[in-house]
Amino acid sequence: MALEARPLLWLALWTLAVPARSFGKDADGGWRRPGPGAPAAVTEEEHCTVERRADLSYAEFVQRYAFSRPVILQGLTDNSRFRDLCTRQRLLASFGDSVVRLSTANTYSYQKVDLPFEKYVEQMLHPQDPISMGNDTLYFFGDNNFTEWASLFRHYSPPPFSLLGTTPAYSFGIAGAGSGVPFHWHGPGFSEVIYGRKRWFLYPPEKTPEFHPNKTTLAWLRDTYPALTPSARPLECTIQAGEVLYFPDRWWHATLNLDTSVFISTFLGTEVVAAASAQPTSAPLSGPGGG
Ligand SMILES: *[C@@H]1O[C@H](CO)[C@@H](O)[C@H](O)[C@H]1NC(C)=O
Ligand SMILES: *[C@@H]1O[C@H](CO)[C@@H](O)[C@H](O)[C@H]1NC(C)=O
Ligand SMILES: *[C@@H]1O[C@H](CO)[C@@H](O)[C@H](O)[C@H]1NC(C)=O
């Protein structure tokens, strides 16, 4: 090879090796680790089919989306301070010894395991094993101790769109590439990615998806998704850091973290809906997860 071609080759290799969004200081918050990456299926969709809105007014949100379809909100809040507090280094320094509650990554989320946050981050936060079952996979999403972590959560600005008669409740989590929660539904809410990317799959309440409750989202994407006819496909989109996805009441959804991701959901709970759903139903997931 001609000598003068080398710098170009190195530039080309470097460009390939550095994902576009990792430019800038602390772009991944220190969460991207050396070692094996995500399984091959962990990629963004070909076409995002959820609308992205940067200029949505509250009136239009209520009219067009709140009760009828998901939407991705951009630039609504500035969570740069919260984001700074969520780097790997700072969370470990502040909360390393605090005990977190992990949940299995299946639809009905049965098993719970408590362990120190540092142990979770150092030992369990690795890419999803493509052959393990969701009910055998533990990860940290929800079940937060808001007393112990108050110094962090008070810096989070939730999406400023509320729904009449609902009370917001946070669910914070951190999970490895390829992890996610399989299809389930609950009340309406928002989910924001702080670091990493999260791919969403959504179906309206009347369109129950085909899935096995103990299989991971990754297994569903690999085994079930490719055979879906266009009309049987879910709405889908990958949410980038700083974006917020809104999902309406009772919409089915499954999630897949494309990178090691830090995320926070704001669930809009209602006493009225809780009372109404006391009638027999097949409602999956005892409490909101959103991982
Ligand atoms: C997980 O679910 C599968 C299939 O539903 C079952 O065969 C297996 O025993 C379950 N594993 C655990 C740890 O419960
Ligand atoms: C939350 O953390 C506080 C302080 O460490 C502790 O006393 C309390 O029992 C925890 N709450 C739960 C529900 O684990
Ligand atoms: C899923 O896993 C849970 C717990 O591991 C088990 O009790 C349940 O029977 C499994 N469900 C199905 C449909 O296999």
Side-chain angles (χ1 to χ4, degrees):
M1 175 186 307
L3 260 181
E4 56 275 22
R6 276 204 193 160
L8 266 184
L9 176 66
W10 284 119
L11 180 66
L13 288 175
W14 180 80
T15 308
L16 282 175
V18 180
R21 284 188 180 82
S22 76
F23 288 97
K25 189 167 156 282
D26 275 345
D28 66 10
W31 291 106
R32 196 187 300 266
R33 310 305 289 171
V42 181
T43 56
E44 291 194 16
E45 65 287 341
E46 273 172 42
H47 302 290
C48 165
T49 47
V50 181
E51 279 178 77
R52 278 194 156 89
R53 296 294 305 268
D55 54 354
L56 193 60
S57 68
Y58 179 61
E60 200 188 344
F61 168 71
V62 170
Q63 197 188 358
R64 282 178 57 102
Y65 304 102
F67 307 101
S68 43
R69 64 178 72 93
V71 62
I72 296 163
L73 307 162
Q74 298 178 312
L76 263 189
T77 47
D78 176 6
N79 272 307
S80 49
R81 171 78 179 130
F82 182 72
R83 192 176 143 85
D84 285 347
L85 296 172
C86 288
T87 61
R88 188 177 192 274
Q89 195 183 2
R90 292 187 83 153
L91 281 186
L92 281 176
S94 309
F95 303 106
D97 295 335
S98 110
V99 169
V100 293
R101 173 153 294 184
L102 311 183
S103 307
T104 47
N106 49 339
T107 290
Y108 301 91
S109 241
Y110 298 96
Q111 208 199 330
K112 306 277 184 183
V113 170
D114 291 345
L115 90 177
F117 179 63
E118 179 170 15
K119 200 166 175 192
Y120 174 68
V121 171
E122 305 283 8
Q123 295 172 23
M124 298 184 70
L125 194 55
H126 38 64
Q128 172 74 41
D129 174 354
I131 61 167
S132 39
M133 298 292 292
N135 54 324
D136 278 333
T137 303
L138 283 164
Y139 85 109
F140 175 38
F141 65 102
D143 285 311
N144 306 110
N145 186 328
F146 294 103
T147 312
E148 214 167 358
W149 293 58
S151 62
L152 174 69
F153 293 121
R154 71 191 167 85
H155 292 285
Y156 180 65
S157 305
F161 294 165
S162 62
L163 293 179
L164 198 63
T166 67
T167 314
Y170 294 153
S171 167
F172 177 76
I174 301 174
S179 64
V181 179
F183 281 106
H184 65 281
W185 57 265
H186 42 67
F190 301 93
S191 177
E192 176 161 0
V193 171
I194 306 301
Y195 287 111
R197 292 169 299 163
K198 193 190 283 287
R199 184 170 169 184
W200 284 76
F201 305 93
L202 303 119
Y203 285 103
E206 68 279 6
K207 225 172 151 180
T208 303
E210 187 193 320
F211 71 101
H212 185 292
N214 285 343
K215 276 184 136 184
T216 59
T217 306
L218 183 59
W220 176 86
L221 180 62
R222 184 192 59 210
D223 303 339
T224 306
Y225 177 93
L228 296 176
T229 59
S231 67
R233 278 184 205 143
L235 289 182
E236 57 177 315
C237 201
T238 297
I239 312 304
Q240 312 286 336
E243 290 186 321
V244 178
L245 178 117
Y246 169 76
F247 49 87
D249 193 22
R250 294 177 181 234
W251 272 64
W252 288 96
H253 54 276
T255 57
L256 181 70
N257 297 301
L258 301 189
D259 312 296
T260 302
S261 300
V262 179
F263 44 88
I264 182 165
S265 300
T266 306
F267 293 102
L268 303 173
T270 64
E271 299 304 320
V272 180
V273 168
S277 68
Q279 57 193 269
T281 147
S282 61
L285 214 68
S286 48

mmCIF file of all heavy atoms in Angstrom, residues 104 106 108 110-111 133-136 212-215, ligand 3:
data_model
loop_
_atom_site.group_PDB
_atom_site.id
_atom_site.type_symbol
_atom_site.label_atom_id
_atom_site.label_comp_id
_atom_site.label_asym_id
_atom_site.label_seq_id
_atom_site.Cartn_x
_atom_site.Cartn_y
_atom_site.Cartn_z
ATOM 1 N N THR A 104 -37.148 -9.602 37.182
ATOM 2 C CA THR A 104 -36.941 -10.426 35.989
ATOM 3 C C THR A 104 -37.577 -9.719 34.792
ATOM 4 O O THR A 104 -38.552 -8.989 34.931
ATOM 5 C CB THR A 104 -37.540 -11.838 36.142
ATOM 6 O OG1 THR A 104 -38.868 -11.724 36.658
ATOM 7 C CG2 THR A 104 -36.683 -12.679 37.062
ATOM 8 N N ASN A 106 -39.500 -10.489 32.312
ATOM 9 C CA ASN A 106 -40.584 -11.156 31.587
ATOM 10 C C ASN A 106 -41.863 -10.345 31.761
ATOM 11 O O ASN A 106 -41.901 -9.388 32.534
ATOM 12 C CB ASN A 106 -40.757 -12.618 32.016
ATOM 13 C CG ASN A 106 -40.821 -12.806 33.521
ATOM 14 O OD1 ASN A 106 -40.365 -11.965 34.278
ATOM 15 N ND2 ASN A 106 -41.393 -13.902 33.940
ATOM 16 N N TYR A 108 -44.809 -10.801 33.148
ATOM 17 C CA TYR A 108 -45.480 -10.699 34.437
ATOM 18 C C TYR A 108 -44.519 -10.364 35.569
ATOM 19 O O TYR A 108 -44.914 -10.298 36.712
ATOM 20 C CB TYR A 108 -46.262 -11.989 34.717
ATOM 21 C CG TYR A 108 -47.292 -12.258 33.662
ATOM 22 C CD1 TYR A 108 -46.983 -13.022 32.537
ATOM 23 C CD2 TYR A 108 -48.564 -11.714 33.753
ATOM 24 C CE1 TYR A 108 -47.921 -13.238 31.541
ATOM 25 C CE2 TYR A 108 -49.515 -11.929 32.764
ATOM 26 C CZ TYR A 108 -49.187 -12.695 31.659
ATOM 27 O OH TYR A 108 -50.108 -12.909 30.689
ATOM 28 N N TYR A 110 -42.053 -11.531 37.746
ATOM 29 C CA TYR A 110 -42.251 -12.227 39.011
ATOM 30 C C TYR A 110 -41.173 -11.957 40.041
ATOM 31 O O TYR A 110 -41.393 -11.372 41.072
ATOM 32 C CB TYR A 110 -42.278 -13.742 38.770
ATOM 33 C CG TYR A 110 -43.391 -14.200 37.891
ATOM 34 C CD1 TYR A 110 -43.168 -14.391 36.536
ATOM 35 C CD2 TYR A 110 -44.655 -14.449 38.409
ATOM 36 C CE1 TYR A 110 -44.202 -14.824 35.717
ATOM 37 C CE2 TYR A 110 -45.680 -14.887 37.590
ATOM 38 C CZ TYR A 110 -45.457 -15.066 36.250
ATOM 39 O OH TYR A 110 -46.460 -15.495 35.447
ATOM 40 N N GLN A 111 -39.954 -12.443 39.705
ATOM 41 C CA GLN A 111 -38.929 -12.520 40.730
ATOM 42 C C GLN A 111 -38.279 -11.176 40.997
ATOM 43 O O GLN A 111 -38.095 -10.375 40.088
ATOM 44 C CB GLN A 111 -37.879 -13.522 40.264
ATOM 45 C CG GLN A 111 -37.148 -14.224 41.373
ATOM 46 C CD GLN A 111 -35.860 -14.815 40.867
ATOM 47 O OE1 GLN A 111 -35.750 -15.186 39.698
ATOM 48 N NE2 GLN A 111 -34.882 -14.897 41.735
ATOM 49 N N MET A 133 -33.691 -16.859 28.955
ATOM 50 C CA MET A 133 -35.111 -16.523 28.998
ATOM 51 C C MET A 133 -35.306 -15.223 29.784
ATOM 52 O O MET A 133 -34.519 -14.914 30.678
ATOM 53 C CB MET A 133 -35.889 -17.630 29.718
ATOM 54 C CG MET A 133 -35.842 -18.993 29.063
ATOM 55 S SD MET A 133 -36.725 -19.039 27.497
ATOM 56 C CE MET A 133 -38.437 -18.836 28.023
ATOM 57 N N GLY A 134 -36.379 -14.514 29.498
ATOM 58 C CA GLY A 134 -36.678 -13.272 30.211
ATOM 59 C C GLY A 134 -36.870 -13.504 31.700
ATOM 60 O O GLY A 134 -36.455 -12.696 32.522
ATOM 61 N N ASN A 135 -37.490 -14.649 32.039
ATOM 62 C CA ASN A 135 -37.738 -14.932 33.453
ATOM 63 C C ASN A 135 -36.470 -15.368 34.184
ATOM 64 O O ASN A 135 -36.487 -15.582 35.379
ATOM 65 C CB ASN A 135 -38.846 -15.987 33.608
ATOM 66 C CG ASN A 135 -38.569 -17.243 32.814
ATOM 67 O OD1 ASN A 135 -38.023 -17.179 31.715
ATOM 68 N ND2 ASN A 135 -38.921 -18.398 33.345
ATOM 69 N N ASP A 136 -35.364 -15.504 33.459
ATOM 70 C CA ASP A 136 -34.070 -15.835 34.057
ATOM 71 C C ASP A 136 -33.135 -14.631 34.031
ATOM 72 O O ASP A 136 -31.972 -14.747 34.396
ATOM 73 C CB ASP A 136 -33.369 -16.946 33.255
ATOM 74 C CG ASP A 136 -33.875 -18.312 33.642
ATOM 75 O OD1 ASP A 136 -34.324 -18.462 34.792
ATOM 76 O OD2 ASP A 136 -33.809 -19.225 32.801
ATOM 77 N N HIS A 212 -44.426 -14.639 23.620
ATOM 78 C CA HIS A 212 -44.367 -15.546 24.763
ATOM 79 C C HIS A 212 -43.933 -14.706 25.970
ATOM 80 O O HIS A 212 -42.913 -14.023 25.899
ATOM 81 C CB HIS A 212 -43.363 -16.666 24.503
ATOM 82 C CG HIS A 212 -43.353 -17.698 25.588
ATOM 83 N ND1 HIS A 212 -42.892 -17.420 26.862
ATOM 84 C CD2 HIS A 212 -43.755 -18.986 25.606
ATOM 85 C CE1 HIS A 212 -43.015 -18.508 27.612
ATOM 86 N NE2 HIS A 212 -43.538 -19.471 26.874
ATOM 87 N N PRO A 213 -44.695 -14.749 27.072
ATOM 88 C CA PRO A 213 -44.403 -13.832 28.181
ATOM 89 C C PRO A 213 -43.042 -14.042 28.854
ATOM 90 O O PRO A 213 -42.570 -13.153 29.546
ATOM 91 C CB PRO A 213 -45.552 -14.087 29.169
ATOM 92 C CG PRO A 213 -46.115 -15.415 28.796
ATOM 93 C CD PRO A 213 -45.891 -15.571 27.322
ATOM 94 N N ASN A 214 -42.425 -15.203 28.655
ATOM 95 C CA ASN A 214 -41.126 -15.437 29.286
ATOM 96 C C ASN A 214 -39.948 -15.293 28.323
ATOM 97 O O ASN A 214 -38.804 -15.508 28.705
ATOM 98 C CB ASN A 214 -41.071 -16.825 29.936
ATOM 99 C CG ASN A 214 -41.871 -16.856 31.229
ATOM 100 O OD1 ASN A 214 -42.199 -15.808 31.786
ATOM 101 N ND2 ASN A 214 -42.182 -18.053 31.688
ATOM 102 N N LYS A 215 -40.237 -14.956 27.083
ATOM 103 C CA LYS A 215 -39.134 -14.749 26.137
ATOM 104 C C LYS A 215 -38.701 -13.296 26.173
ATOM 105 O O LYS A 215 -39.522 -12.398 26.370
ATOM 106 C CB LYS A 215 -39.592 -15.113 24.719
ATOM 107 C CG LYS A 215 -39.489 -16.604 24.404
ATOM 108 C CD LYS A 215 -39.874 -16.836 22.954
ATOM 109 C CE LYS A 215 -38.941 -17.788 22.261
ATOM 110 N NZ LYS A 215 -39.283 -17.912 20.828
HETATM 111 C C1 LIG B 3 -42.932 -18.029 33.014
HETATM 112 O O1 LIG B 3 -41.991 -18.088 34.077
HETATM 113 C C2 LIG B 3 -42.592 -18.125 35.351
HETATM 114 C C3 LIG B 3 -41.553 -17.924 36.402
HETATM 115 O O2 LIG B 3 -40.305 -18.359 35.988
HETATM 116 C C4 LIG B 3 -43.350 -19.434 35.477
HETATM 117 O O3 LIG B 3 -43.936 -19.538 36.756
HETATM 118 C C5 LIG B 3 -44.439 -19.451 34.404
HETATM 119 O O4 LIG B 3 -45.101 -20.701 34.418
HETATM 120 C C6 LIG B 3 -43.855 -19.232 33.016
HETATM 121 N N1 LIG B 3 -44.940 -18.979 32.076
HETATM 122 C C7 LIG B 3 -45.091 -19.649 30.919
HETATM 123 C C8 LIG B 3 -46.247 -19.256 30.068
HETATM 124 O O5 LIG B 3 -44.315 -20.517 30.553
#
